Each structure stands twice: as structure tokens, then as C-alpha cells.
Amino acid sequence: ELRDRWAMVGQNANIHGLTSKKGKLLNLRTARIIYYVVDKDRFEVQLSNSDEKAYLKKENLTIFYGHHQREHEGRAVKPPLAPNTSPSGSWNCDECTFENDDTIS
């Protein structure tokens, strides 16, 4: 499980499910996961188009693939779904490459 959490670092994510007054302002925003804080079991994220950072639980983040703009005039834009992977565990698009390290020998 710890390996799965570290694998999220560097990924883009949508924020959701926050219930505090300040947290609700972050719902539907996008962010880049920049670090995993093991002792707090939180991800440090940097909000898109901002210098603001937050520390969030895994259940409040949904990873998406690609590098497209996810917000338009303060409203969230639905991200594309992850492409289907081939039996070899990899796929390519115009902007990124993904390889499933479990299939690499």
C-alpha cells in the first residue's frame, strides 16, 4: 500500500469530498501531487494555477492522466478517462507515455 501511495507522487488529481469550510473551497479543483507525508498519511498537493499547497488524504484525490487544463473560469472541467492499457501494460498518447512497471522485467 505504501508503494501505491508513493506512485501517486507527480500525478495530476481532482480534489473532492472535503467538508470543512476551507476544504469546500478546494472541492472540484485540480492539483499536482508533489509529496507523500508518511507520518501524517497525507499528500502534499499544489493547486493548479496557484502557489497554494494543501495536505490531503488519498480518499479526497482522484488521479487523472494527461496534461490538459482542468479548470475554466474557476469551474472544474471533467478530465479525460485513462486510456485502456494494452496487454503489455503500456499506452501512448500525444502528450504522455505510461508503462506499468509490473510488466517490465
Side-chain angles (χ1 to χ4, degrees), residues 18 20-26 52:
L18 300 172
S20 70
K21 185 175 181 179
K22 186 175 179 181
K24 287 180 181 180
L25 298 174
L26 299 179
E52 186 178 359

Side-chain angles (χ1 to χ4, degrees), residues 2 5-6 35-43 55:
L2 185 59
R5 293 183 189 279
W6 276 107
Y35 191 72
Y36 175 61
V37 183
V38 176
D39 55 332
K40 294 184 179 187
D41 194 27
R42 300 286 191 280
F43 292 94
Y55 293 87

Side-chain angles (χ1 to χ4, degrees), residues 61-101:
L61 299 168
T62 299
I63 301 296
F64 65 83
Y65 297 91
H67 309 286
H68 308 286
Q69 180 65 33
R70 301 294 175 233
E71 295 179 25
H72 178 69
E73 297 176 1
R75 296 186 318 259
V77 176
K78 188 174 181 179
L81 297 175
N84 292 328
T85 58
S86 69
S88 69
S90 57
W91 55 266
N92 294 304
C93 72
D94 293 339
E95 297 180 351
C96 53
T97 301
F98 169 80
E99 291 187 11
N100 183 343
D101 67 354

Side-chain angles (χ1 to χ4, degrees), residues 8-20:
M8 293 173 65
V9 173
Q11 300 295 321
N12 297 315
N14 288 319
I15 301 170
H16 56 84
L18 300 172
T19 57
S20 70

